Amino acid sequence: MTQGRYANIIIDISHEKVDRTFQYKIPKELEGKIEAGMCVQIPFGAGNRLRQGYVIEVTDQAEFPDEKQKEVAGIVTGSMPVETDAIKLAAWMKENYGSTMIAALKTVLPVKQTMKHKEKKKITRLLPVEETRSVLGECIRKHQAAKARVLTELCKEPVLPYELVTGRLNVTAATLKSLQNQGVISIESENYYRNPVKLETAREAGLVLSKEQADIRDNVLSDFDQGKRKAYLIHGITGSGKTEVYLSLIEGMIRRKKQCIMLIPEIALTYQTLLRFYKRFGDRVSVMNSTLSAGEKFDQWERARKGELDVIIGPRSALFVPFPDLGLIIMDEEHENSYKSETMPRYHARETARYLAKMKKATLVLGSATPSLEAYYGAKQGSYDLFTLNKRLTGGDLATVSIIDLRQELKSGNRSIFSRKLQELMEDRLQKKEQMILFLNRRGYAGFVSCRACGYVMKCPHCDVSLSQHIGGKLVCHYCGYEMRQPEKCPTCSSPYLLGFKAGTQQIEQQLYKRFPDIRVLRMDGDTTRTKDSYQKILSSFAEGEADVLVGTQMIVKGHDFPNVTLVGVLAADLSLNDNDYRAGERTFQLLTQAAGRAGRGRKPGVAVIQTYQPDHYSIIKAASQNYEDFYEEEILYRELGSYPPAAHMMAVLVTSAREERGEKLARQLTVLAKNFLKEGKAKASVIGPAKASIGKINDIYRFVMYCKAFDYGQLTSVKDKIEQYLETLVLKEENVQFDFDPVDSL
Ligand code: ADP
Ligand code: ZN
Ligand code: ZN
């Protein structure tokens, strides 16, 4: 219970502008009884009419003199528990991630929209399946890929939502019109509650679970029935049947009249996945994603609140859907960085789900083929029950992986970006008309510097992270600010080939055309996926065999199945290894494991070739042998030695300012403040920095960053509170301060 004499209250939280609180005095008889999230009665406006409001904060800081304060009239009991929970959640996020209450509230509450029942269109197949098939065959012969896509789906489902076809299937209105004119389909409008996906699909029962799968389901559900609300981690390779387990758990929950939140990273939220849920649970499933309009989002909230939904599927924001009786939160691919919010409050969906599950007395299930260090560490510590699934249920072996030492290639005179082995294999696949994926393990910011002869990477002497190359021949550490001139020669072998590594996908494409003149290449990177649909477009045209090779950055290795792909080449595995943050090893392992998993998903066996300058690095070796447990043991040692999460906790403080000197000065002040505070507490904690952030300037705003590390998370939130208090005493015009707890990316 928060002590304080004043309550800051929001009058109408479903209003578009939740950014205004009103302060009321807490009367003697209610002192100590009021806390954030409570619904209270307050006199409002000139006539002092009693209205309901929600307590956002209890504080001792008066906003205006006592004699002018109105008093809280009373506590409303048992009303609108959903709002109360949402406010509690927002308060928790504010406390644990650093944010204003308003920003936290805006994250957890929907913005109310005028309820206009939108008109929706649907596409209905007019011909019987056989005839549709023959039209489909014709389209394929005529290379009408888009028409073929719709018809393929219409052979399976008689009716499809219009948005789904134009969106996920990427078919233009003109194409649909033409099919309509051919008399193959009809396009009709329908008025209904805005459900973003409505499939009148035949319901399908689940598969008979394997013993391992059934064990998980039975364990989780029987714990639940005994009143044990726990958190579980399912470590299961891709294709081991995790999704089928999720479906059976959700089924169990629905039978118990509970609702479920199914979190899936947006990039993995494919049409096929959605269909699987719709087939199982029909109309009582809905989806949340970034393509929904604000109105559609609000409708999903309303439907959930009114008990019209059992399941919501979506990325991290789906956590905030207000179910009256939440039973289960599932988080698939829990290791994905997209679960961490990039704006204030920078919450992590995993931890937030944990808190929410506790608050709602719900069960939490995480799943991943390559669990985050956080989750696995949690499992080792006993805070998650661990289940393992290690067989692919549809047969198909894991790919054979070989590591190619690029230093040896250079030594034997091969200066191409393709090793000899990779070239041979590519030639072979071209002949066999099988497909390949070439993966450039890179995200596209500041390059590191390495020696092409021995693989040595220039690192910061204080931080064990690689130095970033800056213009003017400078090398900079983004953790502590250490700087040095780029040496002329490699410090270990004296080779002059000490170069920044910045090979791009475009360059690879050119090299491919040079080496294999007839090759058909599709490229997928930040440049080719600017527009909204281009991502799906590239994937579906590759799936339809319109190219031999898909070349791309990290976005191509996530969760897509291409049965005809039998070769995956990772061009320079070290690229992500040299990202300048402590998660580089983990990210590399995950990406390489995922990349290798792309090969041989169909009936033909797959091969993966990992080219690297660091063939001895444990992330690469363990990914090649696809041994997660071994990788974890090495990686956690490194985290423990460096006091990095999850062995300890870390808070990044980002100071931004349009004026460089002012930003830097404030960052220094905050660093001193944090150092003194942590010294006072005599804690085992440390403060590092300040330094220029890894992206030192964005849109002419300068960025500085400081890190605090501590074993106790609470210590970090105390530092945060201290900084917030200090900031309140300043008059800041240009500077802004943000917090990032246990960051997943360097700021
Ligand atoms: P994951 O989510 O771990 O990738 P899925 O649940 O998608 O795994 O299952 C992979 C494949 O195995 C799917 O094609 C699915 O239909 C099939 N599968 C899953 N469970 C079973 C089962 N008990 N019996 C037969 N096939 C199964
Ligand atoms: Zn450093
Ligand atoms: Zn060298």
Side-chain angles (χ1 to χ4, degrees), residues 536-557:
Q536 286 297 333
K537 206 178 270 177
I538 296 171
L539 290 178
S540 45
S541 86
F542 187 60
E544 278 160 33
E546 288 166 20
D548 306 304
V549 194
L550 177 61
V551 179
T553 49
Q554 297 182 359
M555 56 181 88
I556 62 174
V557 297

Side-chain angles (χ1 to χ4, degrees), residues 464-521:
D464 201 24
V465 293
S466 56
L467 294 167
S468 294
Q469 196 176 29
H470 282 228
I471 33 175
K474 255 194 326 194
L475 300 179
V476 179
C477 170
H478 290 308
Y479 272 69
C480 72
Y482 173 84
E483 275 189 22
M484 67 180 284
R485 289 212 69 75
Q486 181 170 334
E488 308 268 294
K489 286 179 187 161
C490 170
T492 51
C493 79
S494 299
S495 152
Y497 292 104
L498 190 66
L499 301 168
F501 208 117
K502 278 189 173 168
T505 46
Q506 229 165 344
Q507 197 183 336
I508 293 163
E509 190 180 10
Q510 285 159 10
Q511 296 293 323
L512 278 171
Y513 287 129
K514 221 159 134 193
R515 176 70 180 75
F516 307 102
D518 295 329
I519 203 164
R520 297 171 304 157
V521 183

Side-chain angles (χ1 to χ4, degrees), residues 50-199:
L50 280 188
R51 289 189 60 176
Q52 287 192 358
Y54 294 89
V55 179
I56 299 306
E57 192 180 22
V58 176
T59 174
D60 262 329
Q61 275 176 345
E63 278 172 7
F64 38 90
D66 255 30
E67 58 274 16
K68 289 201 178 158
Q69 300 249 11
K70 294 180 193 175
E71 286 193 346
V72 175
I75 298 173
V76 181
T77 45
S79 72
M80 310 191 93
V82 167
E83 277 77 5
T84 308
D85 283 354
I87 292 171
K88 240 189 234 160
L89 186 59
W92 179 85
M93 286 168 82
K94 170 185 152 57
E95 175 55 26
N96 282 277
Y97 294 106
S99 148
T100 61
M101 191 61 196
I102 296 302
L105 276 172
K106 283 191 167 159
T107 307
V108 304
L109 294 172
V111 173
K112 190 168 191 167
Q113 297 282 316
T114 33
M115 294 281 284
K116 212 169 61 199
H117 282 256
K118 242 169 98 181
E119 198 182 66
K120 280 253 166 168
K121 288 197 264 186
K122 60 178 184 175
I123 292 166
T124 310
R125 154 160 65 78
L126 296 176
L127 304 174
V129 177
E130 293 79 69
E131 280 178 52
T132 312
R133 282 236 169 78
S134 79
V135 181
L136 169 64
E138 210 174 291
C139 293
I140 292 171
R141 267 193 305 284
K142 290 185 187 157
H143 299 289
Q144 296 170 332
K147 278 191 184 176
R149 281 202 294 280
V150 199
L151 294 177
T152 306
E153 288 312 320
L154 281 172
C155 286
K156 295 182 219 154
E157 311 292 332
V159 182
L160 295 171
Y162 191 84
E163 280 74 13
L164 192 102
V165 175
T166 51
R168 294 231 179 255
L169 289 182
N170 193 23
V171 178
T172 61
T175 304
L176 290 173
K177 197 93 198 163
S178 144
L179 279 173
Q180 189 181 23
N181 293 341
Q182 277 176 269
V184 183
I185 62 166
S186 69
I187 303 171
E188 285 157 29
S189 295
E190 178 188 5
N191 242 334
Y192 64 89
Y193 222 157
R194 282 177 283 203
N195 183 350
V197 187
K198 189 171 185 187
L199 295 176

Side-chain angles (χ1 to χ4, degrees), residues 95-96 649 677 711-721:
E95 175 55 26
N96 282 277
H649 291 287
F677 179 76
F711 285 96
D712 175 14
Y713 196 98
Q715 272 192 318
L716 296 180
T717 55
S718 308
V719 177
K720 179 211 67 187
D721 293 345

Side-chain angles (χ1 to χ4, degrees), residues 320-375:
F320 308 120
V321 171
F323 282 121
D325 205 359
L326 184 69
L328 174 67
I329 304 172
I330 299 172
M331 189 172 174
D332 193 28
E333 318 248 20
E334 62 76 29
H335 63 274
E336 278 290 325
N337 280 355
S338 62
Y339 280 125
K340 178 92 193 258
S341 168
E342 284 169 357
T343 52
M344 285 234 282
R346 293 173 185 261
Y347 68 96
H348 197 297
R350 190 193 309 111
E351 313 314 324
T352 309
R354 190 97 210 233
Y355 176 78
L356 182 67
K358 218 177 195 167
M359 189 163 96
K360 299 272 207 173
K361 299 195 174 49
T363 290
L364 173 65
V365 173
L366 310 180
S368 174
T370 50
S372 63
L373 266 268
E374 275 75 9

